[in-house]
Amino acid sequence: MSWEALKEKGNALFKEKRYEDAIKFYEKALDINSSIEVLYSNKGTCKKCLKEYKDAINDYKKALELNPKNTKNMNRLASVYIITGQIGEAKLLQEKALNLEPNNSTYKEQMATIEKILEDEIKLNDKINENKFEDAEEVCKRLIEKVSDFSEYKLKYIKILIENVKLTEALQYINKEVNYNDKKNDEFDYLTALCLYYDGQYDKAKKQINIMKSKGNKTDTTDLLNKVNTIESVKTKANDIFKQKKYEEAIEEYTKILDFDPNNKKFNSLILANRALCYQKLNKNVEALRDSNQSIKLNPFYARGYIKRGNVYMELKMFDDARADFQKAKDLDPNVTGVDGYLAEANQKAEK
């Protein structure tokens, strides 16, 4: 069979999306004649469809070596560079294609995509530096949609979710979106352990650290493991003092705990809410409101934090604010203890 006939067989299989089978025919054709650029470009497109991007890049490069002025292959190679985060290379190649065909709308559109990515990269770094993590999350998500096989954006996205105390989402993202090649990067394993620790899943965090050690992960987990092993005992003393109604002493202990791990927003949100309750018991509602505000600022998804602040608002006779907080708690967790009763009381007093 001639290389032309083999190519046609490959093309037919490509149309059926049988990419692996198509590649076999293109390779057989290349065994006969290795100087045909279309065989490399077709094979590269199959590799791209299979998400084997490194091989796709190599095939498109070989096609361009045979015909350096083929703008279609420049555009195709640039598209893979985009997916893999090689934006500088993509831009240079796209500019070259546009210099040869300045009116090609497809090439113009891909160049616009590249320019938008570069713009969003700057915006993402600015948002992170400004600690505007909600905005950073949206920008990073947008980048990942276009640059889907670039570990750096995935790592940034996970870190941003952690900053936004979206720990369940971060763990789900790691499990579903982080692929085998990504996991060669030790940092993904470490972020998994960190998420589990921040989420209060301490046994799973320890298990993850052990997995890292067994895989030969070189990340230093000494500090993290120490925190995982001691975090529960850290708050036990303060909680016991609170149960004894020694609220001043409990406030001192909760204050000390806030220095245990300043980066653990979920845990510190709980500690601040507990300290706020101590202040409330002492009729220091201004201090209680301050701590409640800070608790919610650290973790906007803490339903009980809104209930605790709502109760402070009730003490201050700020019934509309209390009602809003109780409703927010119910929206976050419809099953949170006592929310319906609190909401009914706030509604009743707000309407008087």
Side-chain angles (χ1 to χ4, degrees):
M1 192 178 290
S2 67
W3 72 262
E4 292 96 339
L6 289 165
K7 177 177 79 80
E8 291 307 315
K9 282 275 190 181
N11 290 352
L13 290 164
F14 177 84
K15 288 177 183 176
E16 295 175 13
K17 298 184 179 180
R18 294 169 59 186
Y19 305 121
E20 291 178 344
D21 292 331
I23 287 168
K24 291 175 184 176
F25 280 93
Y26 294 137
E27 287 177 341
K28 287 178 182 178
L30 283 166
D31 287 339
I32 297 169
N33 192 339
S34 62
S35 64
I36 307 300
E37 66 168 305
V38 71
L39 295 174
Y40 286 111
S41 63
N42 286 3
K43 186 156 77 83
T45 301
C46 288
K47 291 290 187 178
K48 178 183 175 183
C49 291
L50 291 168
K51 298 184 178 181
E52 296 174 6
Y53 299 119
K54 186 176 179 180
D55 290 341
I57 288 170
N58 289 334
D59 283 329
Y60 285 138
K61 281 183 174 180
K62 287 175 182 175
L64 283 168
E65 285 172 10
L66 292 167
N67 183 0
K69 292 187 178 181
N70 188 321
T71 56
K72 286 184 179 179
N73 285 334
M74 291 178 197
N75 190 68
R76 289 165 181 155
L77 178 53
S79 73
V80 184
Y81 279 147
I82 291 170
I83 291 168
T84 55
Q86 301 175 70
I87 309 304
E89 290 89 337
K91 187 178 181 184
L92 288 172
L93 206 54
Q94 203 67 46
E95 285 173 345
K96 190 174 180 180
L98 278 168
N99 284 335
L100 292 168
E101 291 188 43
N103 297 318
N104 189 303
S105 60
T106 301
Y107 301 170
K108 286 180 180 179
E109 185 178 337
Q110 186 150 283
M111 179 57 82
T113 297
I114 291 167
E115 288 171 348
K116 179 62 177 171
I117 290 168
L118 292 169
E119 179 186 318
D120 276 345
E121 277 188 337
I122 295 169
K123 190 178 291 185
L124 175 62
N125 290 329
D126 286 345
K127 296 299 180 186
I128 290 172
N129 290 335
E130 294 166 5
N131 293 327
K132 295 180 178 178
F133 295 109
E134 286 289 343
D135 294 338
E137 183 180 333
E138 291 305 310
V139 177
C140 198
K141 194 184 296 182
R142 195 161 64 230
L143 280 167
I144 289 171
E145 285 174 2
K146 298 184 182 76
V147 188
S148 59
D149 199 62
F150 186 43
S151 292
E152 188 62 32
Y153 288 159
K154 293 179 184 180
L155 287 168
K156 282 188 178 181
Y157 187 61
I158 294 163
K159 290 174 184 177
I160 289 165
L161 289 175
I162 290 172
E163 289 289 348
N164 287 331
V165 203
K166 295 182 179 180
L167 303 170
T168 300
E169 287 183 34
L171 289 166
Q172 288 174 343
Y173 183 81
I174 292 168
N175 290 331
K176 291 181 180 179
E177 303 299 332
V178 175
N179 61 38
Y180 174 77
N181 287 327
D182 293 325
K183 287 182 179 177
K184 292 177 182 177
N185 185 325
D186 288 350
E187 197 168 356
F188 283 104
D189 280 340
Y190 179 77
L191 287 175
T192 302
L194 191 66
C195 280
L196 290 166
Y197 158 63
Y198 283 157
D199 200 39
Q201 300 184 55
Y202 304 125
D203 288 339
K204 288 184 178 180
K206 281 187 269 191
K207 185 177 179 181
Q208 175 63 20
I209 290 169
N210 288 330
I211 290 170
M212 289 170 64
K213 289 178 180 177
S214 68
K215 288 170 62 176
N217 189 311
K218 296 179 181 178
T219 307
D220 186 0
T221 58
T222 306
D223 183 58
L224 179 58
L225 185 59
N226 181 57
K227 288 174 180 174
V228 170
N229 285 329
T230 58
I231 190 167
E232 280 295 290
S233 62
V234 164
K235 67 178 181 180
T236 300
K237 181 179 178 181
N239 286 348
D240 288 344
I241 293 170
F242 175 84
K243 289 172 186 175
Q244 297 170 37
K245 300 183 180 181
K246 298 177 180 178
Y247 302 122
E248 293 282 4
E249 289 181 39
I251 287 169
E252 290 180 13
E253 289 301 319
Y254 286 130
T255 301
K256 292 176 187 175
I257 292 170
L258 290 171
D259 291 328
F260 174 74
D261 184 357
N263 295 317
N264 193 336
K265 293 183 179 181
K266 186 174 180 179
F267 178 74
N268 289 336
S269 174
L270 173 64
I271 297 304
L272 283 163
N274 287 355
R275 193 172 73 176
L277 185 56
C278 292
Y279 281 124
Q280 192 179 353
K281 294 288 186 181
L282 295 168
N283 293 315
K284 295 182 178 181
N285 290 311
V286 173
E287 291 87 344
L289 183 58
R290 178 201 64 204
D291 275 3
S292 295
N293 287 335
Q294 184 62 20
S295 171
I296 289 168
K297 184 179 179 181
L298 284 179
N299 184 6
F301 308 103
Y302 179 33
R304 291 213 61 80
Y306 287 97
I307 286 180
K308 290 180 179 182
R309 188 172 71 175
N311 285 327
V312 177
Y313 280 138
M314 291 292 284
E315 291 288 336
L316 295 169
K317 302 189 185 305
M318 299 167 67
F319 302 121
D320 286 330
D321 291 315
R323 178 164 57 180
D325 269 1
F326 294 142
Q327 184 60 56
K328 179 68 175 179
K330 186 169 184 176
D331 292 341
L332 287 168
D333 181 2
N335 299 315
V336 65
T337 305
V339 68
D340 289 325
Y342 293 130
L343 188 55
E345 183 183 0
N347 282 332
Q348 185 181 34
K349 292 189 175 181
E351 290 165 3
K352 285 184 178 180

